[in-house]
């Protein structure tokens, strides 16, 4: 592997490692997978093949960033932007005492269904 | 050729994904050894300032300087470093170890504004730890500046900006002269993730520290927290035997169908 490519691969590894710290399934799990993926390809010599792997790594970086953003966006949307119909139903479900079969929620329902 | 100076206010808050707990004394949310990060709405604000800067540079119609400021204890500098890594030009840390409520922050920011003379100040609409939604509005009042809050779209004009605001029941578009205050809404933009090379570069960008008391501003808290409690626990669920059973329960017991 030529030096510029070597540098790019190491930079890619570091970037993925940095992104993986916040991985939902666990930083350790991510690091294991990351190391495994790079070790599997460590003996490649064909520049085209190496470039393909680097491109895949860049793609994975973008996918992880997108996932982090979507998770955060969805959480913010859920917390700060109410869907009155959904909230009404959720409130009713949570206040129902299933054992006796009575609904203790006194809110009147927005009974229309779209 | 316009040369804009944009001041972005940011806050270091408990990370949005953390499951917060009330502390042992029942006086506040537990923040020790808990992950913190930049307030999501402030990330959107920082991103907006950088996008304005990049748009001006690309169109070659002007330049912009993005200054990011944060008021709080020493660890607030982590938030500032994140903003510098995203592309801000320099940072100001207004250091204070005492609790800063929105009114105090607004007064401190006013002092910074009078020093830096920006063309616009961008803030997040609210912080996810106190959900006050006050600082931007209070700052506008203290400065007697126009404000465009809950912005979901911003277009800059000649010494003015046209902002689309998210309001109950829809959107509203307003135009204000500059200088002005802008607070960000969720849909304004998608904040970029700082890459490692940019994080390294950010270490060399200027970060100025100002001690809050040196600004000659009354930052005493006005609000006292009387009580903090976790929400009531959910009642137990029940396993159902079949789809018919589920429909029956939703219809007759929960009354949602």
């Amino acid at each position: 592997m030529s030096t510029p490519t070597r540098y790019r691969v190491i930079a890619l590894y570091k970037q993925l490692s940095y992104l993986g710290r916040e991985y939902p399934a666990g930083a350790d799990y991510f690091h294991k997978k990351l190391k495994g993926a790079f070790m599997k390809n460590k003996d490649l010599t064909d520049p085209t093949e190496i470039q393909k792997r680097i491109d895949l790594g860049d793609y994975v970086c973008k996918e992880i960033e997108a996932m982090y953003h979507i998770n955060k966006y969805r959480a913010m949307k859920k917390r700060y932007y109410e869907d009155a119909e959904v909230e009404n139903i959720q409130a009713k479900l949570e206040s129902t005492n299933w054992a006796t079969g009575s609904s203790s929620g006194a809110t009147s329902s927005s009974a229309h269904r779209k | 050729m316009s040369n804009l100076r944009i001041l972005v206010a940011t806050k270091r808050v408990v990370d949005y994904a953390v499951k917060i707990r009330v502390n042992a004394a029942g006086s506040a949310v537990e923040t020790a050894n808990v992950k913190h990060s930049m307030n999501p709405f402030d990330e959107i604000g920082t991103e907006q300032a950088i996008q304005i800067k990049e748009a001006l540079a690309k169109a070659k119609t002007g330049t912009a300087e993005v200054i990011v400021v944060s008021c709080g204890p020493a660890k607030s500098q982590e938030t500032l470093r994140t903003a510098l890594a995203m592309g801000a030009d320099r940072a100001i840390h207004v250091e204070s170890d005492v609790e800063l409520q929105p009114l105090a922050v607004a007064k401190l920011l006013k002092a910074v504004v009078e020093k830096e003379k920006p063309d616009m100040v961008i803030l997040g609409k609210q912080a996810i730890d106190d959900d006050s939604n006050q600082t931007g509005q209070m700052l506008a009042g203290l400065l007697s500046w126009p404000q465009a809050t809950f912005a979901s779209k911003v277009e800059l004009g000649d010494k003015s900006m046209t902002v689309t605001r998210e309001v109950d029941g829809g959107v509203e578009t307003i135009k204000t002269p500059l200088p002005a205050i802008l607070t960000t809404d969720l849909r304004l933009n998608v904040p970029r993730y700082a890459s490692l090379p940019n994080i390294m570069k950010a270490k060399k960008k200027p970060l100025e520290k100002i001690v809050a008391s040196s600004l000659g501003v009354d930052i005493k808290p006005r609000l006292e927290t009387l009580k903090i409690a976790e929400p009531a626990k959910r009642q137990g669920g029940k396993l159902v035997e079949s789809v018919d059973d589920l429909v029956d329960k939703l219809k007759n017991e929960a009354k949602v169908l």
Side-chain angles (χ1 to χ4, degrees):
Chain A
M1 195 184 304
S2 65
T3 318
T5 323
R6 193 183 162 74
Y7 172 77
R8 283 203 59 197
V9 169
I10 293 174
L12 176 64
Y13 183 86
K14 284 185 185 166
Q15 180 68 21
L16 281 166
S17 186
Y18 172 70
L19 284 174
R21 293 174 320 167
E22 286 177 51
Y23 200 70
D28 296 332
Y29 168 84
F30 185 90
H31 187 78
K32 257 206 302 244
K33 290 272 172 182
L34 172 67
K35 189 134 191 232
F38 270 69
M39 284 297 128
K40 204 167 68 153
N41 294 308
K42 72 176 162 67
D43 294 319
L44 289 178
T45 50
D46 177 13
T48 328
E49 285 296 306
I50 294 173
Q51 187 55 47
K52 264 210 285 219
R53 298 299 187 282
I54 293 175
D55 291 340
L56 176 63
D58 289 335
Y59 173 76
V60 170
C61 280
K62 288 203 167 51
E63 288 285 294
I64 294 173
E65 288 176 21
M67 173 187 68
Y68 287 164
H69 170 71
I70 287 178
N71 283 348
K72 189 178 281 190
Y73 181 90
R74 278 189 184 147
M76 292 298 110
K77 186 152 187 281
K78 191 167 170 211
R79 279 179 216 176
Y80 293 104
Y81 300 88
E82 45 175 64
D83 181 342
E85 200 178 344
V86 169
E87 287 207 350
N88 210 353
I89 294 173
Q90 271 177 348
K92 276 198 189 161
L93 286 173
E94 283 178 19
S95 67
T96 305
N97 194 331
W98 299 104
T100 63
S102 64
S103 171
S104 54
T107 50
S108 61
S109 68
S110 57
H112 72 279
R113 312 285 294 152
K114 288 206 183 120
Chain B
M1 187 80 164
S2 49
N3 297 313
L4 270 184
R5 177 172 279 186
I6 307 174
L7 185 70
V8 180
T10 61
K11 185 180 181 186
R12 179 177 180 263
V13 298
V14 173
D15 188 77
Y16 85 97
V18 167
K19 288 195 171 26
I20 54 172
R21 290 273 173 270
V22 176
N23 65 13
S27 59
V29 166
E30 185 64 69
T31 54
N33 297 323
V34 155
K35 179 168 186 237
H36 284 65
S37 55
M38 192 193 293
N39 181 34
F41 294 107
D42 299 343
E43 287 177 341
I44 294 173
T46 310
E47 173 66 26
Q48 191 61 31
I50 295 167
Q51 282 191 8
I52 291 172
K53 177 180 161 185
E54 288 173 345
L56 282 174
K58 189 168 172 198
K60 298 203 189 2
T61 49
T63 59
E65 187 192 12
V66 176
I67 308 166
V68 65
V69 59
S70 191
C71 305
K75 286 202 180 147
S76 298
Q77 292 196 6
E78 293 169 5
T79 304
L80 292 172
R81 290 281 170 218
T82 306
L84 289 171
M86 283 169 72
D89 297 304
R90 58 185 171 93
I92 299 172
H93 172 212
V94 178
E95 191 181 35
S96 165
D97 284 313
V98 303
E99 182 204 359
L100 292 175
Q101 294 176 350
L103 182 57
V105 173
K107 290 179 184 171
L108 289 170
L109 289 178
K110 172 171 182 269
V112 174
V113 164
E114 284 163 354
K115 191 165 163 285
E116 299 290 337
K117 302 193 181 4
D119 298 290
M120 61 194 289
V121 183
I122 305 181
L123 302 94
K125 72 168 184 173
Q126 66 199 74
I128 61 172
D129 55 2
D130 59 17
D131 287 323
S132 295
N133 195 333
Q134 295 169 0
T135 312
Q137 290 86 337
M138 284 176 169
L139 180 59
L142 290 171
L143 289 170
S144 291
W145 279 18
Q147 57 183 301
T149 54
F150 315 113
S152 62
K153 188 164 169 220
V154 180
E155 271 158 22
L156 288 179
D158 186 28
K159 285 256 156 229
S160 71
M161 65 178 184
T162 303
V163 176
T164 304
R165 304 179 58 223
E166 301 271 322
V167 296
D168 290 347
V171 294
E172 122 180 310
T173 308
I174 62 173
K175 185 173 172 184
T176 91
L178 295 180
I181 305 287
L182 184 82
T183 75
T184 68
D185 201 80
L186 190 62
R187 282 168 268 260
L188 181 57
N189 60 45
V190 175
R192 66 195 64 191
Y193 215 87
S195 66
L196 265 182
N198 285 342
I199 292 167
M200 291 299 137
K201 268 188 251 174
K203 291 186 179 165
K204 300 199 184 84
K205 291 184 182 176
L207 193 155
E208 178 193 350
K209 190 174 98 171
I210 306 175
V211 177
S213 51
S214 73
L215 289 171
V217 161
D218 171 18
I219 54 173
K220 241 177 28 286
R222 302 292 204 268
L223 304 173
E224 181 194 346
T225 302
L226 297 176
K227 183 178 133 182
I228 284 208
E230 294 190 2
K233 296 269 182 277
R234 282 180 55 172
Q235 301 192 26
K238 191 173 165 72
L239 287 178
V240 292
E241 302 290 309
S242 67
V243 174
D244 288 337
D245 195 20
L246 172 64
V247 171
D248 175 63
K249 283 203 158 42
L250 288 177
K251 196 181 223 168
N252 300 318
E253 293 185 31
K255 299 195 176 36
V256 295
L257 284 180

